[in-house]
Amino acid sequence: GAGVSQSPSNKVTEKGKDVELRCDPISGHTALYWYRQSLGQGLEFLIYFQGNSAPDKSGLPSDRFSAERTGGSVSTLTIQRTQQEDSAVYLCASSLRGAWETQYFGPGTRLLVL
Amino acid sequence: AQSVTQPDIHITVSEGASLELRCNYSYGATPYLFWYVQSPGQGLQLLLKYFSGDTLVQGIKGFEAEFKRSQSSFNLRKPSVHWSDAAEYFCAVVGGADGLTFGKGTHLIIQP
């Protein structure tokens, strides 16, 4: 079956621009996660959506980062006024119900801020 | 808050030799523990997980891990490594309702 998909695969942007990253979770999975993978910080948890509940935003690094999940399915991670330190691979994952279950990861979006 | 430590940034093992990757966690209650593997150009894939019960868990690709509460450890093992095992290995913990907390990862190099 289809796995988690993310788009775009790669994104190059200029400092100060806004970017939107998209994630399509596995059909039927109610839990969705965003992570960031960078050389200096390793894999960091950013945000977690569970069904229709308010998301856990505890991992978002600044107020320039936001995410939404429409209709309990597709999610968009938005970074406003990008900075060079935002350059990283942004990974999305989904699981059937919650964080205690196997998370299936997408291939990631590689973001480069010039 | 929970945390995960993987003390070894790089490990080099000869093909056919045994492997142990170390993982220590910090969490007040019984954690949910995971090992993920990330091969070059590939996404993260779950190797195995521990929730409760038998402290020795079997995973895919011949890997196993043992949960030791007294040592707060969840080390990954494989009796005989193959060249295709070269990858980045991440230990992770869930302690609560948020996402995974990952260790920094161990880069495994396989020598012929």
Side-chain angles (χ1 to χ4, degrees):
Chain A
V4 177
S5 60
Q6 294 185 244
S7 61
S9 301
N10 295 278
K11 177 72 177 180
V12 180
T13 190
E14 294 178 347
K15 178 181 173 182
K17 302 278 185 151
D18 298 351
V19 294
E20 285 189 351
L21 312 180
R22 176 188 168 102
C23 172
D24 281 274
I26 292 173
S27 177
H29 281 195
T30 62
L32 186 147
Y33 317 79
W34 283 97
Y35 297 89
R36 179 170 69 175
Q37 186 172 25
S38 57
L39 280 176
Q41 300 296 321
L43 267 162
E44 302 170 84
F45 163 72
L46 296 178
I47 190 168
Y48 164 42
F49 293 90
Q50 171 48 267
N52 295 320
S53 304
D56 173 6
K57 303 180 181 180
S58 60
L60 293 178
S62 79
D63 58 7
R64 296 186 295 105
F65 287 72
S66 63
E68 62 177 20
R69 189 178 185 191
T70 54
S73 180
V74 171
S75 176
T76 302
L77 177 69
T78 301
I79 309 173
Q80 295 178 310
R81 306 180 302 282
T82 52
Q83 303 295 313
Q84 288 184 330
E85 60 263 28
D86 299 334
S87 297
V89 177
Y90 290 83
L91 295 167
C92 177
S94 70
S95 66
L96 190 58
R97 289 167 298 172
W100 60 92
E101 296 176 315
T102 301
Q103 294 183 27
Y104 296 86
F105 283 80
T109 293
R110 187 176 299 275
L111 175 66
L112 178 60
V113 181
L114 299 176
Chain B
Q2 62 269 24
S3 66
V4 176
T5 302
Q6 292 181 249
D8 304 305
I9 298 174
H10 299 278
I11 280 190
T12 301
V13 178
S14 297
E15 190 169 13
S18 63
L19 170 71
E20 182 169 32
L21 302 182
R22 296 184 290 166
C23 172
N24 292 96
Y25 67 91
S26 173
Y27 183 62
T30 300
Y32 297 114
L33 293 159
F34 304 79
W35 275 99
Y36 280 83
V37 61
Q38 188 175 38
S39 301
Q42 304 292 316
L44 281 156
Q45 182 182 25
L46 180 72
L47 284 175
L48 46 76
K49 58 188 177 185
Y50 171 79
F51 293 164
S52 64
D54 193 348
T55 57
L56 184 64
V57 293
Q58 303 297 322
I60 62 171
K61 304 183 181 185
F63 285 92
E64 66 178 26
E66 186 170 13
F67 171 62
K68 291 186 178 180
R69 183 189 302 276
S70 61
Q71 298 176 20
S72 297
S73 69
F74 188 55
N75 294 347
L76 182 71
R77 301 193 295 247
K78 186 169 184 177
S80 176
V81 297
H82 185 262
W83 64 267
S84 61
D85 293 325
E88 192 83 16
Y89 291 80
F90 295 94
C91 182
V93 62
V94 171
D98 56 13
L100 290 167
T101 297
F102 285 91
K104 295 292 187 184
T106 296
H107 185 62
L108 177 62
I109 300 166
I110 306 296
Q111 281 185 335

